[in-house]
Structure formats: C-alpha cells, structure tokens
Amino acid sequence: MTVFEELKRRGLLAQLTDEEEIKELINTGKATFYIGFDPTADSLHVGHFMALCLMKRLQMAGNKPIALIGGGTGMIGDPSGKTDMRKMLTKETIEHNVACFKKQMSRFIDFSDNKAMVVNNADWLLDLNYVDVLREVGACFSVNKMLAAECYKQRMEKGLSFLEFNYMIMQSYDFYKLYQDYGCNMEFGGDDQWSNMLGGTELIRKKLGKDAYAMTITLLLNSEGKKMGKTEKGAVWLDPEKTSPYDFYQYWRNVGDADVIKCLKMLTFVPIEEIEEMEKTMEGAQFNKAKELLAYELTKLVHGEEEANKADAAAKAIFGAGSGDSADMPSTTFKAEELTDNKIGILELLVKTGLAPSNSEGRRLVTQNGIAVNDVKFTDPKGMVDLSEPVIIKKGKKVFHKALIG
C-alpha cells in the first residue's frame, strides 16, 4: 500500500488539484510541503493533531515538511470562519509562541539534518514594500474573484475590513516565497483555507509560468480536525502545564462512539488494516476498548510512553474500582487558611478545582444531580465539603478530581 492510498483509506483527503501529480510526489518522497500554524497561543492543541500526524506520516515516507508559523499573517487576522477580527499580537509574544510550537512539534517531526523546517512568514512579510506588493502581487488578483470566495462572503454581512481582505494575498505570497526559496511544491490545509490555497497556486503560475504551476500542488485536509479540541473548560492543549496527561487521556477516552474509529484512522499510527477489522465488529463494550486504544496511543505520542501508562492506569483504577482514588488523578491542594475548620463550600470547591467556570454553573450541576463527593450525590448548593481527608469529586459520569489539604 502506498502512502497516498493510506491517506485516502484513513479519510484524510477531501479535495485535490491534481491527484496523479500528488500521488507521484508523495509516493516517491519528492514532496516538499508546508502547513501553516497560527501562533495565537503558546501551545498547540488537539485541533492541530491532524496536521501534525499528516506531517509525520509524509516525512516517514521520505517527504520534507515545512511548518510555517504565521508570525506575519497573525498580525493581520484570517477572516475564514470568524465573526470578529482577531486580536493582534506583539512581535515578542509571537516569537515566544513560535519557540513553544517548535518544541512540541519535535515530538512528531524530525528536524535534524534538514529533514524538516520551521519557518516564520514574519521574516519576509514584515519587510515588504507596500507599493511593490501592489505592483508585483496585487496585479495577479481579481477583486471580483476574491469576493466570491466563501471565506469573504461569510464576513461581508457583518463587515470585512481592508486589513482582513489582504489575508488571501499574504497567504498566497507565502506559497510563492516558499516555492522560490525552499522548493516547496505542495501545500496542505483545512477546507476553510481552500480559496487562499488556490490563490497561492494561481500566483505561482502567473509569476513563474505554467511549468512552475505543474509542480505546485494544493491538497485539502478533511475538515474533521477543525471540530476537535474544544470542551466546556476550553481547549485541550498539548502542553502538560495547560492540560495534564491524565486530562488529555480522558479527553480521548470520552470521545463519542460515532467518532472513535474516525479518530483512530486519522490521528493514530495503528495499522489501518487493524482499525478496519475493528470497525467491522464494533459494538457494545468494544467501543470502550477502542477508546482506550485511542487515548493511549495519542497520549503516548504527545507525552511519552511513561505518562501514557500512568494515565491509563489511573483511568482503569477510576472506572474499574469506582473509587477514583489514584495518585495520577488531577488534584487541587488547598491551604488550611483557605478553609473554615477544614471545610469549603461546594460551589467554591467546584470553581477552584476547575470543574465549574462559575458559581452559577456549579449551582446548576449540584441541583441537577451532576456532582458526587466520594461516590455520594451532593445536592445542596449551600453545602460544605470536609477536606480533613482527601475527597474525590465526580462530575457527571466521567470527570474525576481529587481535593485535599496540603
């Protein structure tokens, strides 16, 4: 099975500009491809997983990945799928986020011996001369065609700033620059980037001729990755300081039955034949086994085998014994002076442990039987919890948290 065939069997490809050319480049290890990452935070999150796993798969087949960090475009803001303008970041913040990204990407991608690159488009976008851009690049774009793109149509009703209108030109220029400087002949991205990606392909063709266009391939990743990584507590981060390995494991352990096979195919390196066999007989308790496999494989990929083993053991202690008492469970330690006779109000406890974002949400959880303390339902929103001994708080059926005095 070729790498291209595997990508298709795993459901990763949605649209392609030239399937035969793409097959040839990918299968022979001749693709130098890039995927863009916005440096809007100091950590990647699980919504980036699909791109990272794809980069790893293609690199394993001999292709060269370029991780393009949008330090320049991040100062403009992408209108795709957005309802408001993006907050502009300082140069210092972007540089810090770029360094964090590269460290996390190194878990997936081998950057040694020029096998892969991290490039920041601020290196060329911030030095561009405005008049030169208008003459050399702007002349290649039709305003009518740009306004017909879905990414702009979504914003037209609420207002599209000229700043955001330039995003397609800047992203297209990225491809043009990477093609010239690094021989980048392929771009990957999500479905909301399709118009921008085609703009880059078109710019290369117009500036460098049809021969260059023949080697400029644009692929489109399946949009499922855009739906991943959001919970009621916010994003699920790859940084263990933001999302603990245990919480990371639990996120994947709790995916819906309808999504587990899809996630195994798209995000793990479990052989596709094995996953397809599982899919044929998937029912009942087999869903839980598949979710455990998914959670373990992804936790190992991001946090290493030791942390994956610890998270797996903690989860099995929780769901097996029912007590949830595990050293690896997320916990919050309170100082004695924060408590009254070693007691704390249930609402304050829920907020300080992160199990509820506010007192009102905590009250809703308690009154709707969504909270248990040491396996006993807690139904009084004015009640106090005694922390003289460590307690296990359970939210719903699958979220556990330990609270203790330290």
Side-chain angles (χ1 to χ4, degrees):
M1 179 173 56
T2 65
V3 63
F4 183 84
E5 290 169 345
E6 182 172 6
L7 295 181
K8 293 197 77 171
R9 283 173 68 175
R10 288 183 179 273
L12 286 165
L13 304 180
Q15 295 185 50
L16 303 86
T17 54
D18 189 330
E19 182 166 330
E20 292 307 312
E21 188 69 43
I22 290 166
K23 280 183 185 179
E24 173 65 19
L25 289 170
I26 288 177
N27 291 339
T28 59
K30 295 179 181 178
T32 296
F33 66 96
Y34 92 91
I35 298 179
F37 296 83
D38 291 323
T40 51
D42 58 1
S43 174
L44 298 167
H45 55 74
V46 302
H48 295 114
F49 238 119
M50 188 178 293
L52 294 170
C53 291
L54 178 69
M55 294 172 85
K56 182 177 177 70
R57 290 184 205 282
L58 291 180
Q59 187 182 51
M60 290 168 63
N63 300 287
K64 182 176 180 178
I66 299 176
L68 179 68
I69 309 298
T73 42
M75 292 185 174
I76 296 175
D78 177 11
S80 302
K82 311 292 191 304
T83 56
D84 299 299
M85 278 186 62
R86 175 183 296 163
K87 180 181 178 181
M88 292 191 194
L89 303 175
T90 66
K91 186 175 181 180
E92 293 73 22
T93 298
I94 289 172
E95 288 175 351
H96 171 71
N97 293 350
V98 168
C100 295
F101 277 22
K102 184 170 182 179
K103 182 179 179 181
Q104 292 177 346
M105 287 176 178
S106 296
R107 281 238 177 231
F108 296 80
I109 304 163
D110 181 4
F111 289 100
S112 67
D113 302 322
N114 200 35
K115 294 176 184 174
M117 302 175 64
V118 173
V119 180
N120 185 346
N121 64 14
D123 293 343
W124 55 81
L125 292 182
L126 299 188
D127 292 331
L128 288 175
N129 178 285
Y130 184 62
V131 174
D132 287 345
V133 172
L134 290 178
R135 288 172 59 88
E136 300 299 320
V137 181
C140 297
F141 287 82
S142 161
V143 172
N144 289 347
K145 191 172 181 180
M146 291 172 70
L147 290 176
E150 191 63 33
C151 62
Y152 288 129
K153 290 193 326 190
Q154 292 174 5
R155 288 299 305 273
M156 288 297 288
E157 293 183 5
K158 294 189 176 182
L160 176 70
S161 73
F162 184 72
L163 181 71
E164 295 169 293
F165 186 67
N166 280 269
Y167 190 89
M168 181 186 291
I169 296 175
M170 295 296 95
Q171 183 172 332
S172 298
Y173 187 82
D174 285 343
F175 199 176
Y176 174 65
K177 184 72 173 175
L178 291 172
Y179 180 89
Q180 287 187 299
D181 292 357
Y182 304 108
C184 180
N185 52 26
M186 195 176 297
E187 177 182 8
F188 290 75
D191 57 356
D192 61 342
Q193 296 294 315
W194 186 238
S195 297
N196 296 340
M197 294 160 68
L198 292 178
T201 299
E202 189 72 5
L203 176 61
I204 293 172
R205 183 184 69 84
K206 289 181 177 179
K207 295 296 293 182
L208 302 177
K210 292 184 178 180
D211 289 341
Y213 173 75
M215 292 298 293
T216 310
I217 309 302
T218 307
L219 285 79
L220 180 64
L221 290 179
N222 191 296
S223 61
E224 293 297 327
K226 296 290 180 180
K227 303 173 185 177
M228 299 175 184
K230 295 294 185 181
T231 71
E232 60 187 30
K233 293 171 66 176
V236 177
W237 304 99
L238 306 196
D239 184 345
E241 297 298 319
K242 290 177 173 286
T243 300
S244 72
Y246 175 85
D247 283 336
F248 186 86
Y249 179 100
Q250 284 298 104
Y251 171 79
W252 297 107
R253 173 63 179 77
N254 294 330
V255 299
D257 289 355
D259 294 326
V260 62
I261 290 294
K262 187 185 302 178
C263 289
L264 280 168
K265 287 181 178 179
M266 291 180 173
L267 306 178
T268 76
F269 290 82
V270 175
I272 185 62
E273 296 84 0
E274 182 179 331
I275 299 172
E276 289 173 344
E277 281 301 312
M278 293 170 60
E279 186 175 19
K280 292 177 184 177
T281 58
M282 190 64 67
E283 61 180 27
Q286 292 174 320
F287 279 107
N288 286 334
K289 290 183 179 180
K291 291 176 186 180
E292 289 173 1
L293 176 63
L294 174 69
Y296 181 81
E297 289 294 324
L298 295 185
T299 305
K300 182 173 69 172
L301 186 61
V302 174
H303 298 295
E305 188 171 2
E306 181 180 354
E307 291 295 339
N309 288 335
K310 288 163 67 174
D312 184 58
K316 287 175 178 174
I318 290 169
F319 292 103
S323 66
D325 189 7
S326 170
D328 297 312
M329 186 188 302
S331 64
T332 300
T333 302
F334 293 87
K335 296 179 180 178
E337 52 265 33
E338 296 181 81
L339 310 174
T340 302
D341 295 330
N342 292 334
K343 294 180 180 180
I344 185 172
I346 183 64
L347 301 186
E348 183 181 1
L349 178 63
L350 293 175
V351 171
K352 287 190 173 180
T353 56
L355 293 173
S358 63
N359 283 345
S360 59
E361 175 61 17
R363 185 177 294 106
R364 185 191 68 79
L365 287 168
V366 171
T367 56
Q368 294 183 6
N369 294 317
I371 298 296
V373 176
N374 288 341
D375 281 337
V376 177
K377 287 289 184 183
F378 203 104
T379 58
D380 181 5
K382 295 181 180 180
M384 304 290 287
V385 178
D386 191 341
L387 299 184
S388 297
E389 297 291 336
V391 301
I392 303 300
I393 310 146
K394 181 180 178 183
K395 183 175 80 168
K397 295 181 179 180
K398 299 177 179 178
V399 179
F400 295 82
H401 198 100
K402 184 188 296 183
L404 65 157
I405 302 174

